[in-house]
Amino acid sequence: MNLSPTLAGHALARASLDACVKCGICETRCPVMAATPLFPGPKFVGPQAERFRQGLSVDRSLDYCSGCGTCTLVCPQGVKIAELNAQARAVMKAHHMPLRDRLLGRTVLMGKVMSPVAPLANAVLRLGPVRALADSVVGVARQAPLPVASVQSLGRWLAQRGRSRANGTEVSGPDDQTGCEPDAVGRESGAAKRGQVVFFHGCAGAYFEVETSIKAIEVLEYLGFEVLVPAQGCCGLAQQSNGLFKAASKSVLKLSRALRSAGPDLTIVSASGSCTGMLKHEARQIMGVDDPELADVSYRVRDIMEFLAELDAQGELPHSFQPVDATVPYHAPCQLKGQAMGLPALEVLSLIPGLTVTESGQACCGMAGTYGLKKEKYAIAQKVGAPVFEVFRQAGASLGLCDTETCRWQLRQGTAMRIEHPVALVHQAYGLGTCLATD
Amino acid sequence: MSEVVVIGAGLGGLMAACELAGAGLPVRLISQGEGSLSLSNGTVDLLGYAPDLVWDPLSRINQIAPPHPYQVIGSDNVRRAVAALTSHLPDGYLVGQASQNQLVPTALGAWRPTALLPASLAPPQPKDQSRWLIVGFDRVKDFYPKLVAANLSRTKIPGGGRVTAIPVRIDLPDNPGLPGGDVSAMTVARAFDQPDFAAAVGRQLAQAAGQAEADAIGVPAVLGTAGHDAWRQVSQAAGRPVFEIGLVPPSPPGFRLNQLLLARARQLGVRLATGARVTGFQANQGRIVQLTTDAAGHGQTYEPTAVVYFPGGFESGAIAMDSTYNLAETLFDLPLAGLAPVSQLISPSYSPNQTIFQVGVQTDKAMRPLTDGGEPVYTNLYAGGGLLAGAIRWTEQSGEGIVLGSAMAAVRGLLDGIGQDLEPKLAAAHGRRTQLSSSHPGQTPNWTDGAP
Ligand SMILES: Cc1cc2nc3c(=O)[nH]c(=O)nc-3n(C[C@H](O)[C@H](O)[C@H](O)COP(=O)(O)OP(=O)(O)OC[C@H]3O[C@@H](n4cnc5c(N)ncnc54)[C@H](O)[C@@H]3O)c2cc1C
Ligand code: SF4
Ligand code: SF4
């Protein structure tokens, strides 16, 4: 692959490089540079090396960039550092893409294969020898956190719920071992007082983190929205971050069509913080996909906590929250922060009486999509994550919060705590049955 | 009450945000990137030259020749602002006084005036015949102990005499985080975050200072990335006063200060939106009613009660010149003062005193930008810091004073403007020294700080 500077996204990012004044602020914040001497840092591999690339690959150290995007956020001059890095990485890997990176890009495939046989698949993935084989042959670190497939996919839950609604019985909500009795009225109302929204579940939300999707849908329905869930595929984020731009572009365009098929002008809501970022930012700014359908979806999509915060700003979010007497640590994932909308989860959770949320204040947990799964990056990713793990452990709670799936896997492994999406606490506080934080 | 939006996360924006949140207002802080704090050495320069060396900055502020931002800001706001800044930082973090400048050595071995500074950067009072060891560390760039020592030794100090500065280079202990070759000051500073490393270097310093019979030790400013813990560990092991000498940007002491103020803003409940540039606004009846950012996807809109605008100056793109030499303020298109034909603004000689840096915005006492007719452009827009007209801040060493003073004036103007008598609350907030819960291990120091 030869990324010509005329490619829309690349031209934009490249145009920003002359704005670099070499202040080094990006270097003070790059979490990978702080964790390993192998990585020369954002200024070096970004605006500096880009001058020499002319569409070619000039340095391999670039591969250590995790793509967390922190550098772009902190650069006062608006240099698109992380975007330049991602584009250059795609060129670098074009001719020798590791099998592992192709596989890690195939999130739907993984989910489809694992979900029906979840107990078996999960058990197999726990087997030492299997992981050792994956480690040496494929290059997925043997200690890396891999997802636990859910027995019930979101599709099955929705179908089952549809059937039981048709014959007048309500299925139970998320499968909570600790389960509180749901006491909120109107959860089954179906009477959508506020119109329709489209739910974008993402691959993980369909197969691995199904509970989060269910809770998000139930919160939306409780608020009076009719939730449409059109058949949808993968956004291609994992392909993008592994440099597979062609496949990723195909995925994201197909997804855009699917999400638009539910109806024009509807708000699209997602509980998958990183996939939302792909639609809003990465697909356009990194891959330079210039397509009216994507632009439309990108404009309409909202992270679930962003959506709730917007409702609140308009005075339309009921504050009928039950107290949650707990202190809970929260980490805002890099891919969420990259959307530059601030931290809506903190704003919404601040409305829940009794609840104290401590923010990690760290740039990245180290996972950065699939970076932390890779054998040669695993140790770095753990080191990047260590300060986040530390904040979580110090909070002295059993529950922690984080908006994206792979980061939750990383935090679960790093802290041995229960890690949930912030919407789970909203679900609990609205009395919808979840009972997570009680201490 | 709806929120106040502060634009810009430099020293000005951070201070204003902390003050307003401390007074109990809901505050959102939007910034395209970080401000210039981590490029600085964390010193608080109020007025260093006017044009001769100034010893009593606070009393000189009101006498400065017009046009100058200090004329609207006034020394009272600067004094209050310095007190407020101190209150947002750990006890003893800053030393010095607003009323009196002191001299500190630079990385070129010159003496420069500043009013307050991080305790780690404060050398002992220089005396005739003081013996100072000036230590270079291997791999730390842009710090040449021989140059520093030679210049310090040949410069007369106030009150007469000279210090005797003795240069020495030492090799830092092996450390996995510290590779050979080209490393940045921040990478070295991270190694000092490890107590063992800091203590080991402290012992090396003790030995070198013993041999040189030195009574104080100056080192490049790489002693840790968080607070003053590393500096204290090094000093303790060295057994004598150790002081840091500021480096070229990005500088660890500026980074530490930035971290502390960001943590303070979080603690006070300021809502941070980083990485978003405010690109549009709407006004109605002379008030800003809406702001729009370039956030990914659909942008974000905010409906603030008031806007506090501290976007910096030319350096951050808040004022820009186009290809036809037209100068403009880039967000609100505010009227600029100090305009002149380009040949008068930019001198072809390489000099930091380019008149163009005096171009900026003029305000009333409440820091509201003014039209050419002298009326506030928007009644709820307050601005300051690097945006202000009339000063070349690095030449007169007045950068932090103008930023802090204008932030204080803007906060007070805003509280007046929204008709809330919140000043008593503000004063109370300064008195209440809350303990910062350590939500940033490895980054936020213990919230009580003092000299070793
Ligand atoms: C290299 C350098 C060296 C200096 N040396 C000295 C010195 O030795 N002594 C001295 O006294 N002074 C010095 N100064 C001056 C002094 O540091 C500055 O005047 C002061 O720090 C400016 O602070 P500020 O808060 O106004 O702006 P800045 O620190 O520049 O912060 C501006 C903030 O606004 C943000 N921003 C701008 N526009 C937008 C927008 N549209 N939307 C969102 N965010 C926006 C930026 O991203 C940034 O966060 C120096 C300045 C520089 C640049
Ligand atoms: S922060 Fe931006 S301007 Fe500064 S060195 Fe990095 S890329 Fe360049
Ligand atoms: S994207 Fe993240 S890891 Fe990569 S250079 Fe930027 S800050 Fe560093």
Side-chain angles (χ1 to χ4, degrees):
Chain A
M1 184 162 98
N2 191 339
L3 264 187
S4 96
T6 53
L7 192 81
H10 190 51
L12 270 178
R14 231 188 121 86
S16 72
L17 80 86
D18 280 339
C20 173
V21 296
K22 313 284 172 233
C23 67
I25 282 181
C26 52
E27 293 189 344
T28 68
R29 294 287 179 191
C30 170
V32 173
M33 194 181 177
T36 173
L38 294 170
F39 184 53
K43 180 179 75 171
F44 187 91
V45 302
Q48 263 166 224
E50 181 61 27
R51 289 184 192 285
F52 300 97
R53 287 196 186 111
Q54 320 256 7
L56 301 171
S57 186
V58 297
D59 57 330
R60 311 215 108 244
S61 60
L62 164 70
D63 195 38
Y64 282 102
C65 162
S66 74
C68 71
T70 308
C71 46
T72 298
L73 288 187
V74 300
C75 171
Q77 307 297 337
V79 180
K80 302 286 173 208
I81 316 160
E83 289 78 354
L84 284 170
N85 292 356
Q87 291 157 355
R89 192 164 39 238
V91 176
M92 182 183 90
K93 287 166 73 177
H95 301 298
H96 39 76
M97 179 68 65
L99 168 68
R100 186 258 334 262
D101 294 10
R102 281 182 208 282
L103 283 178
L104 286 177
R106 302 292 301 274
T107 7
V108 174
L109 185 72
M110 258 162 82
K112 275 195 182 143
V113 172
M114 280 170 72
S115 192
V117 288
L120 184 64
N122 292 335
V124 170
L125 280 180
R126 271 195 297 271
L127 285 180
V130 173
R131 293 300 299 268
L133 200 69
D135 186 304
S136 58
V137 179
V138 193
V140 172
R142 91 181 58 184
Q143 316 89 325
L146 276 189
V148 179
S150 181
V151 187
Q152 188 187 36
S153 72
L154 180 67
R156 273 183 58 191
W157 180 78
L158 285 167
Q160 204 183 337
R161 191 175 72 146
R163 277 197 300 278
S164 47
R165 275 195 177 162
N167 54 40
T169 53
E170 179 64 30
V171 297
S172 61
D175 173 27
D176 249 329
Q177 264 71 40
T178 45
C180 293
E181 278 304 307
D183 62 5
V185 282
R187 59 180 297 212
E188 79 292 346
S189 66
K193 298 173 284 289
R194 303 220 220 181
Q196 300 174 318
V197 292
V198 180
F199 188 69
F200 164 42
H201 52 61
C203 310
Y207 299 107
F208 301 113
E209 299 278 326
V210 177
E211 224 182 277
T212 299
S213 299
I214 296 176
K215 286 176 181 169
I217 291 173
E218 290 189 336
V219 165
L220 290 168
E221 288 179 347
Y222 170 74
L223 293 173
F225 292 98
E226 183 187 346
V227 181
L228 308 178
V229 190
Q232 50 189 278
C234 180
C235 67
L237 173 61
Q239 290 165 323
Q240 183 276 122
S241 69
N242 281 293
L244 296 154
F245 282 11
K246 240 187 177 154
S249 305
K250 243 167 98 180
S251 302
V252 81
L253 288 177
K254 203 169 150 205
L255 172 69
S256 300
R257 272 194 295 282
L259 293 174
R260 293 181 84 237
S261 72
D265 304 328
L266 295 177
T267 302
I268 301 164
V269 184
S270 177
S272 190
S274 50
C275 306
T276 311
M278 173 71 173
L279 290 177
K280 283 184 180 177
H281 171 253
E282 283 92 321
R284 302 170 76 197
Q285 304 256 355
I286 293 181
M287 303 196 307
V289 179
D290 184 13
D291 176 273
E293 293 202 285
L294 171 65
D296 176 48
V297 167
S298 176
Y299 185 79
R300 286 204 257 145
V301 74
R302 298 288 186 280
D303 169 75
I304 176 86
M305 303 310 281
E306 177 190 17
F307 182 69
L308 299 180
E310 274 182 13
L311 284 180
D312 190 51
Q314 293 151 12
E316 288 175 16
L317 188 77
H319 287 192
S320 51
F321 294 112
Q322 298 170 6
V324 176
D325 288 315
T327 298
V328 182
Y330 166 68
H331 174 66
C334 56
Q335 284 162 325
L336 186 101
K337 285 187 283 230
Q339 297 166 43
M341 58 183 175
L343 305 179
L346 284 184
E347 292 173 30
V348 174
L349 294 175
S350 75
L351 302 170
I352 299 178
L355 182 65
T356 306
V357 181
T358 48
E359 191 209 334
S360 76
Q362 300 291 326
C364 176
C365 72
M367 182 51 88
T370 56
Y371 183 87
L373 297 176
K374 297 174 185 176
K375 189 177 168 180
E376 72 282 9
K377 317 269 169 51
Y378 176 78
I380 299 171
Q382 291 298 311
K383 216 171 151 198
V384 170
V388 187
F389 305 158
E390 188 55 29
V391 177
F392 272 50
R393 284 198 221 98
Q394 273 186 11
S398 55
L399 174 74
L401 303 173
C402 181
D403 314 68
T404 56
E405 294 88 355
T406 55
C407 306
R408 289 201 289 275
W409 306 343
Q410 170 89 336
L411 291 173
R412 277 173 199 150
Q413 195 199 43
T415 64
M417 289 162 67
R418 179 164 187 169
I419 311 290
E420 297 295 335
H421 189 288
V423 79
L425 276 188
V426 177
H427 193 269
Q428 166 170 342
Y430 274 144
L432 297 176
T434 302
C435 191
L436 287 171
T438 44
D439 45 34
Chain B
M1 191 193 315
S2 72
E3 64 190 8
V4 175
V5 169
V6 178
I7 303 173
L11 181 58
L14 282 168
M15 251 299 278
C18 287
E19 287 295 282
L20 291 166
L25 295 179
V27 180
R28 189 179 301 272
L29 177 61
I30 304 175
S31 69
Q32 169 175 14
E34 295 210 336
S36 53
L37 253 185
S38 54
L39 304 181
S40 83
N41 277 304
T43 60
V44 181
D45 300 354
L46 303 182
L47 187 63
Y49 296 93
D52 295 329
L53 183 66
V54 168
W55 285 109
D56 49 345
L58 206 54
S59 48
R60 291 289 291 282
I61 280 173
N62 286 342
Q63 301 162 18
I64 205 158
H68 195 280
Y70 272 151
Q71 252 137 6
V72 283
I73 295 169
S75 63
D76 184 47
N77 276 318
V78 176
R79 186 184 51 78
R80 285 174 186 243
V82 167
L85 175 68
T86 310
S87 83
H88 291 302
L89 294 170
D91 275 332
Y93 194 84
L94 292 179
V95 297
Q97 305 166 37
S99 56
Q100 198 183 353
N101 273 340
Q102 55 191 302
L103 295 179
V104 294
T106 71
L108 288 177
W111 295 96
R112 83 166 180 93
T114 188
L116 286 90
L117 71 173
S120 65
L121 285 158
Q125 177 82 31
K127 295 200 188 85
D128 190 25
Q129 313 289 320
S130 297
R131 287 181 70 82
W132 287 5
L133 190 69
I134 302 297
V135 183
F137 297 137
D138 69 307
R139 284 169 286 181
V140 173
K141 292 181 290 191
D142 305 314
F143 190 86
Y144 306 96
K146 276 187 185 159
L147 175 76
V148 178
N151 278 340
L152 283 179
S153 299
R154 70 190 177 86
T155 312
K156 267 211 192 104
I157 52 174
R162 293 174 171 81
V163 300
T164 307
I166 309 129
V168 64
R169 282 195 90 89
I170 66 170
D171 289 339
L172 293 170
D174 285 338
N175 191 275
L178 201 55
D182 191 5
V183 295
S184 76
M186 281 295 291
T187 306
V188 182
R190 284 194 189 96
F192 276 95
D193 286 339
Q194 306 159 30
D196 291 350
F197 185 87
V201 177
R203 288 191 294 273
Q204 285 175 290
L205 293 178
Q207 201 185 5
Q211 278 166 10
E213 295 176 17
D215 39 52
I217 307 168
V219 299
V222 292
L223 305 186
T225 64
H228 288 155
D229 287 356
W231 167 62
R232 269 194 297 269
Q233 278 145 5
V234 171
S235 306
Q236 214 154 38
R240 317 171 160 62
V242 173
F243 58 93
E244 294 184 292
I245 300 173
L247 295 173
V248 296
S251 170
F255 179 87
R256 292 171 210 147
L257 196 59
N258 198 25
Q259 286 295 85
L260 287 167
L261 288 176
L262 273 170
R264 178 66 172 159
R266 283 199 182 91
Q267 183 201 28
L268 290 167
V270 173
R271 299 166 169 186
L272 302 171
T274 311
R277 185 170 183 86
V278 179
T279 49
F281 72 99
Q282 271 180 26
N284 187 9
Q285 296 183 334
R287 295 173 63 79
I288 309 270
V289 292
Q290 194 182 69
L291 295 171
T292 324
T293 71
D294 64 353
H298 49 81
Q300 297 280 333
T301 52
Y302 303 94
E303 289 171 3
T305 7
V307 179
V308 178
Y309 188 45
F310 277 71
F314 284 98
E315 313 88 281
S316 57
I319 301 175
M321 181 183 265
D322 70 14
S323 57
T324 60
Y325 303 121
N326 275 322
L327 283 161
E329 185 280 315
T330 53
L331 177 54
F332 298 106
D333 197 19
L334 298 171
L336 293 177
L339 295 176
V342 69
S343 58
Q344 291 168 34
L345 292 177
I346 302 176
S347 135
S349 74
Y350 181 78
S351 150
N353 287 324
Q354 303 286 350
T355 328
I356 192 169
F357 291 122
Q358 303 213 21
V359 173
V361 166
Q362 268 177 341
T363 70
D364 64 8
K365 293 250 175 223
M367 302 315 295
R368 287 177 305 183
L370 297 174
T371 62
D372 297 338
E375 292 297 311
V377 186
Y378 300 105
T379 52
N380 63 345
L381 175 66
Y382 304 82
L387 189 66
L388 297 175
I392 300 182
R393 293 153 284 142
W394 39 87
T395 310
E396 51 184 44
Q397 304 274 295
S398 60
E400 286 80 19
I402 291 174
V403 174
L404 291 169
S406 59
M408 180 53 76
V411 166
R412 294 174 71 198
L414 189 155
L415 295 182
D416 267 359
I418 56 177
Q420 299 227 352
D421 189 18
L422 290 171
E423 280 210 36
K425 227 174 149 181
L426 205 61
H430 293 159
R432 212 171 40 234
R433 295 297 313 273
T434 28
Q435 297 278 319
L436 184 81
S437 65
S438 177
S439 59
H440 307 271
Q443 288 205 12
T444 306
N446 207 336
W447 206 243
T448 48
D449 218 306

